[in-house]
Amino acid sequence: MLPVVTAAIAVLLLLNCALIQWSHRLPYYKKLEQIRIAQNPNLLFVGNSLLDHHVNETAFEQAAAAHGANWIALNSALGASLAPEQRLLFQYAETCHPTITTVVIGFYDFQLTDTDHSHVADLVGNRIIGVDHRFPLSETAAAYNFGMISRAELELVRSVPMAAYRANAWKDVEILRRRMAAVGMPQVAINSMGRVDDFTALEADSTQRFDEEAQTFLAAPERFNVSFEAILAEARQANMHVVLLAMPMSPYHLKRFYSRPSWSAYFSALKRLASTRNIQIVDASTWMPDESDFADHLHLSPQAVSEFSMRLGISLAHAEIPQAKQSAAIHSPS
């Protein structure tokens, strides 16, 4: 009996070690490495898939430089992340790079004010960043507002890679299942990120639900959500300039949701709140007017990314961001 138990333990240990190495190819891990090795960035992008791989940093920097601003951009945005993960990524970038003077937070709909109700079981996919050991347990627990029981559960998951990466391993099985199920079936619409239909869940399921979310904030429009309040507080403490970037939306999304009185009221309240904190808002929601500019209702097409990036670079170059001019002076040849 003892040899069987010993062998089982050995197999489990080997499997856990293999999963740790396997996790290094996951998008969240690559994002952390990208942040770590960046060279002296002075501008940080924060957001989700609308910014992740949807900013051409070279086009952005070149357009800004042509208008007198010397940005060195670092994109910490991560697809399928929510506010707590974006908070952790911001903190990691800030720790790695004290050279950052400006943070640009991309958002759409109610991301800045939605309340987070995450549980440890929700930390799968790219959200597994909350399990990564680069973040102290106390820091992660604070980001998710975990109580004593959830914190103990998180500590257990962090110590057992098989538990931490369970859903990520299943992803490959799901991809294989979909490929097999598609044999002999009509082709479904896909883009660079996967099935277009998979991203419909990122929009409100009805205009009524959209209106309700707007009203939730309008009933008490004095604060952003906990994660973004933390980001703003830390940015202020580090003397960073903050820009809130309303991301480009497709004509479909603009017509269905942003044309509603609830959005006008919400966005006006959001601007007032930002104004009280001396935070700039750049409204890029109408910058890309054609459906062909979008891969789905929310994400820019690869062809539109460069155009958006150049326009954003010019817009921020003309914004009242003194750090940009200072950086340009510091980096300009004598």
Side-chain angles (χ1 to χ4, degrees):
M1 184 64 180
L2 184 59
V4 174
V5 173
T6 303
I9 292 174
V11 169
L12 287 174
L13 288 174
L14 287 172
L15 185 57
N16 276 280
C17 290
L19 279 171
I20 291 174
Q21 294 302 312
W22 171 82
S23 71
H24 293 178
R25 70 182 181 92
L26 297 175
Y28 96 88
Y29 187 90
K30 293 179 180 179
K31 178 64 68 173
L32 288 173
E33 285 298 290
Q34 176 188 336
I35 292 173
R36 184 182 65 83
I37 66 176
Q39 298 295 311
N40 301 316
N42 59 5
L43 182 143
L44 179 70
F45 288 109
V46 174
N48 63 6
S49 60
L50 273 67
L51 274 174
D52 189 13
H53 300 298
H54 288 87
V55 174
N56 182 324
E57 288 88 351
T58 300
F60 168 81
E61 292 169 0
Q62 290 177 347
H67 291 262
N70 189 8
W71 295 123
I72 303 173
L74 171 60
N75 191 352
S76 74
L78 182 64
S81 64
L82 298 183
E85 292 84 47
Q86 292 167 32
R87 173 181 174 180
L88 291 172
L89 287 163
F90 166 82
Q91 291 171 333
Y92 185 63
E94 180 192 17
T95 300
C96 291
H97 303 291
T99 53
I100 295 171
T101 58
T102 298
V103 57
V104 179
I105 302 173
F107 73 96
Y108 79 104
D109 292 2
F110 311 109
Q111 288 183 312
L112 295 176
T113 56
D114 275 345
T115 302
D116 180 68
H117 299 287
S118 295
H119 302 282
V120 174
D122 298 323
L123 304 187
V124 296
N126 280 348
R127 301 197 67 196
I128 203 169
I129 192 170
V131 180
D132 194 277
H133 285 273
R134 298 189 212 205
F135 302 99
L137 181 65
S138 58
E139 190 174 304
T140 302
Y144 293 97
N145 195 30
F146 284 158
M148 189 187 317
I149 295 176
S150 293
R151 180 171 172 152
E153 184 182 355
L154 176 63
E155 188 169 13
L156 176 63
V157 168
R158 283 163 63 107
S159 65
V160 183
M162 285 181 63
Y165 301 113
R166 62 200 183 282
N168 298 70
W170 182 254
K171 177 195 71 174
D172 293 329
V173 178
E174 173 63 12
I175 291 174
L176 178 61
R177 185 197 67 78
R178 287 189 174 192
R179 287 176 178 171
M180 294 179 66
V183 174
M185 300 297 292
Q187 187 173 4
V188 298
I190 60 172
N191 57 35
S192 59
M193 297 174 291
R195 288 185 181 181
V196 171
D197 287 346
D198 288 344
F199 297 98
T200 58
L202 298 178
E203 296 181 285
D205 54 13
S206 68
T207 54
Q208 179 182 352
R209 177 59 183 156
F210 186 88
D211 292 344
E212 290 171 354
E213 291 194 47
Q215 291 302 322
T216 298
F217 173 70
L218 291 171
E222 296 86 18
R223 295 179 62 82
F224 299 96
N225 65 32
V226 172
S227 291
F228 286 114
E229 283 288 350
I231 290 174
L232 296 175
E234 293 179 35
R236 183 169 57 250
Q237 186 175 6
N239 294 316
M240 293 182 188
H241 189 93
V242 178
V243 177
L244 302 180
L245 173 64
M247 293 298 295
M249 291 289 106
S250 69
Y252 171 88
H253 194 88
L254 291 173
K255 182 178 180 180
R256 187 178 187 201
F257 297 113
Y258 285 13
S259 64
R260 301 185 66 75
S262 61
W263 176 254
S264 297
Y266 173 87
F267 198 67
S268 295
L270 192 69
K271 288 191 289 187
R272 288 193 296 271
L273 175 58
S275 178
T276 64
R277 311 284 189 89
N278 294 317
I279 296 171
Q280 289 181 271
I281 289 187
V282 173
D283 184 4
S285 61
T286 60
W287 281 8
M288 313 303 289
D290 298 325
E291 288 288 358
S292 60
D293 292 327
F294 292 85
D296 50 55
H297 292 160
L298 298 173
H299 297 89
L300 290 171
S301 67
Q303 297 78 14
V305 166
S306 292
E307 180 183 345
F308 161 69
S309 302
M310 288 187 289
R311 186 166 178 179
L312 180 60
I314 294 169
S315 177
L316 293 186
H318 288 290
E320 295 298 321
I321 305 178
Q323 292 93 331
K325 305 303 180 183
Q326 291 170 6
S327 295
I330 292 171
H331 289 87
S332 62
S334 56

